[in-house]
Amino acid sequence: MGQAISMTVDRGRFADAVTPWEEEAWQAAALGWSERELARHGLAEAGPREVRVRPWSILVRFRTGAGEREVVWFKASAPDAAFEAALGGALADWVPEHVVTPLAVDAARGWSLLPDGGPLFRHVLDAGDAGPESWAVALGQYARMQRALTPYTERMAALGVPGGRTGELPRVFDGLVEGNAALDPDTRRALRGRRPRLLDWCEELDAYGIPDSLDHCDLHDAQLLAPAAGRFTFFDWGDANIAHPFTSLLVPARAVRERHGPEHAHRLRDAYLEPWTDLGPSLPELRRAAALATRLGALGRAVSWFRLFPGTPTTGCAEASAQWVNELFTESEVF
């Protein structure tokens, strides 16, 4: 069946990425697994396959009918993000109303087969069918999901989800500063000199007592699905870590400021914070915690840029990671 179906491959701007897709045996195994799982769910292919190869993942889009939403996605993550498959399956058990439930998961190989989950939030925004108020609804739902996940942090760690808890961030910072060749000696020296500020921020944030949870770490408008009016689901967990939950605000806050204007950022923040108001800290204290966490969230973003398939050139990703480390100490605030 596989030989009779045409296939297009999109490498984007990453023609030099080294991935398993180039290995005939791996490709045959991945496609064969997908075909068997599609058949197990009573699905038959109805059109060409579309492959997207990136340094951090391989996606294959299978058409299962003539409709726009009649598609199934195979995803293989890079080894350092291979936890995503097992995490996706676990989230479907723990918080099914907030995520896409996989059709199949091969945790050992980091493979997932996912149904279509509805339109991307980005497309809904582009069509003018939603605005910043929808972002506030989405972030409130995301926060409630994080609250529900706080009892599962150790189980997530056992699945291989990386750690980025507040107490670990000084060590994470040290590794990023010393290990990234994209940082020149003067920049590295300056970052070392600012390390005491990082320690103060971590100590202050920890003092508010907010429990750790899952941080998506890249929650922009193309990582949310809008399957129904007022309902959102979250996907693409390859950048995730276990961290202070408020670090998740960094990316959506920037997205809202850029698309809708900075005047909407405070409403977004408060909609996100509302599900956390029963934990003890006052609203001003939660807002201060959000300001600290969104700053520290830059470290999670910096780490995630190195989750690549082995052998892929890292120059561009190292530069992106270095940029995030430098942004840790910028004076600008997202709120």
Side-chain angles (χ1 to χ4, degrees), residues 72 74 110 125 189 207 216 279 297 309:
V72 171
F74 164 84
L125 290 169
R189 190 177 307 110
H216 184 286
L279 291 180
F309 286 111

Side-chain angles (χ1 to χ4, degrees), residues 169 215 217 247 250 292-302 324 328:
L169 293 183
D215 172 17
C217 210
T247 55
L250 172 61
L292 290 167
T294 50
R295 180 179 291 279
L296 294 171
L299 293 176
R301 296 293 301 125
W324 279 108
L328 179 65

Side-chain angles (χ1 to χ4, degrees), residues 151-235:
Y152 296 101
T153 53
E154 296 308 319
R155 292 174 70 176
M156 287 189 276
L159 295 175
V161 181
R165 302 171 195 257
T166 307
E168 299 172 334
L169 293 183
R171 175 188 57 77
V172 171
F173 172 79
D174 292 342
L176 289 165
V177 171
E178 303 305 328
N180 191 341
L183 294 170
D184 61 66
D186 289 341
T187 301
R188 189 173 286 113
R189 190 177 307 110
L191 288 169
R192 290 190 197 115
R194 294 169 183 154
R195 189 177 188 274
R197 295 173 65 189
L198 169 67
L199 298 180
D200 290 342
W201 292 334
C202 291
E203 182 178 1
E204 182 182 356
L205 183 59
D206 250 349
Y208 291 115
I210 306 298
D212 294 319
S213 187
L214 184 65
D215 172 17
H216 184 286
C217 210
D218 194 23
L219 195 61
H220 55 72
D221 52 17
Q223 310 281 37
L224 285 77
L225 298 169
R231 179 170 175 261
F232 299 90
T233 53
F234 310 96
F235 74 106

